[in-house]
Amino acid sequence: MTIRVLLADDQALVRLGLRALLENEPGIEVVGDVGDGLAAVSAALRTRPDVILMDVRMPGIDGIEASRRIVGALAETRIIVLTTFEIDEYIFDALRVGASGFLLKDTRPAELLDAIRQVVAGGALLSPSVTRRVVKTFVDQPARVAKPHPRWSSLTEREQEISGLVSEGLSNDEIADRLVISPATVRTHVGRAMVKLGARDRAQLVVFAIQSGA
């Protein structure tokens, strides 16, 4: 399978470097590169890439709004946000709208390539514990008002409980041990919670759970 990647960054030199790296990697095809958020949305709808490497600070619309529009239209496309800072206010918003995770722009090439393959395979780019740290950093700020997910109350008590344990960084096996249930049962509850909340992956489930007070 060839992984189709779209590059979105307002710095031409960054796009050139990413293209040079990816085009030399077997099994990866760069389907385009753009320098602003509106162009990213247009290119994504046209090329339907598997992965988008998305900068945040871009002209037109920023990478967060571009991600929101793309996620709403392309359920299978995964977005990896590129950032200069490890903990950045934009990271929380990117995870909230459905990005699969983030990478620093100085990430080693091998790690970037591995991340692309990981999100295409359905894996979480960020561990739940790292996601929780990012989300808590911003949800706990006095200037931010936590907004519970509007469908949080539709979850059963058990689904809310398990979603809260996911947000603490526990794996399915660890949750199963704690609640004395089978890992398969945990997977079922996690899956149902994600469907009810519209979460694309466990990272977004963590965001919704913490915002909802789990």
Side-chain angles (χ1 to χ4, degrees):
M1 162 182 171
T2 297
I3 300 173
R4 305 171 74 252
V5 180
L6 175 66
L7 310 174
D9 195 294
D10 66 343
Q11 297 182 39
L13 191 59
V14 171
R15 298 199 307 273
L16 182 64
L18 289 171
R19 180 180 277 277
L21 169 66
L22 299 178
E23 287 185 337
N24 285 319
E25 186 66 18
I28 294 180
E29 174 191 358
V30 177
V31 296
D33 66 79
V34 295
D36 67 77
L38 286 172
V41 175
S42 177
L45 295 177
R46 185 178 68 255
T47 63
R48 305 181 73 86
D50 300 301
V51 177
I52 302 174
L53 299 182
M54 179 79 76
D55 188 22
V56 174
R57 299 170 180 85
M58 293 188 293
I61 58 174
D62 65 22
I64 305 304
E65 176 60 20
S67 295
R68 186 189 67 78
R69 296 185 189 185
I70 292 167
V71 164
L74 301 174
E76 300 303 319
T77 296
R78 294 293 176 256
I79 297 174
I80 299 174
V81 173
L82 300 179
T83 180
T84 307
F85 305 101
E86 183 175 1
I87 296 260
D88 181 303
E89 64 177 296
Y90 293 105
I91 298 307
F92 166 77
D93 291 325
L95 293 172
R96 179 176 54 81
V97 301
S100 294
F102 69 92
L103 291 173
L104 300 182
K105 286 192 174 182
D106 62 358
T107 295
R108 291 181 298 178
E111 293 176 347
L112 174 61
L113 295 170
D114 181 64
I116 290 171
R117 294 189 173 95
Q118 194 169 332
V119 297
V120 169
L125 183 56
L126 297 179
S127 68
S129 60
V130 172
T131 303
R132 182 177 180 85
R133 178 167 60 89
V134 174
V135 176
K136 287 287 288 182
T137 297
F138 295 101
V139 169
D140 289 345
Q141 288 180 357
R144 281 188 179 267
V145 178
K147 296 180 180 179
H149 193 286
R151 295 196 296 276
W152 181 254
S153 61
S154 71
L155 270 61
T156 64
E157 289 187 11
R158 182 63 108 183
E159 288 165 356
Q160 290 183 2
E161 179 183 25
I162 289 177
S163 296
L165 294 174
V166 169
S167 77
E168 291 179 15
L170 274 64
S171 67
N172 287 349
D173 287 344
E174 290 169 336
I175 294 172
D177 288 343
R178 179 175 295 192
L179 300 181
V180 195
I181 57 179
S182 72
T185 299
V186 175
R187 285 194 296 274
T188 297
H189 285 303
V190 170
R192 288 175 178 168
M194 289 175 63
V195 169
K196 289 181 180 180
L197 299 178
R200 286 162 61 86
D201 51 31
R202 287 175 79 101
Q204 197 174 35
L205 180 61
V206 170
V207 174
F208 293 156
I210 292 176
Q211 282 190 300
S212 302

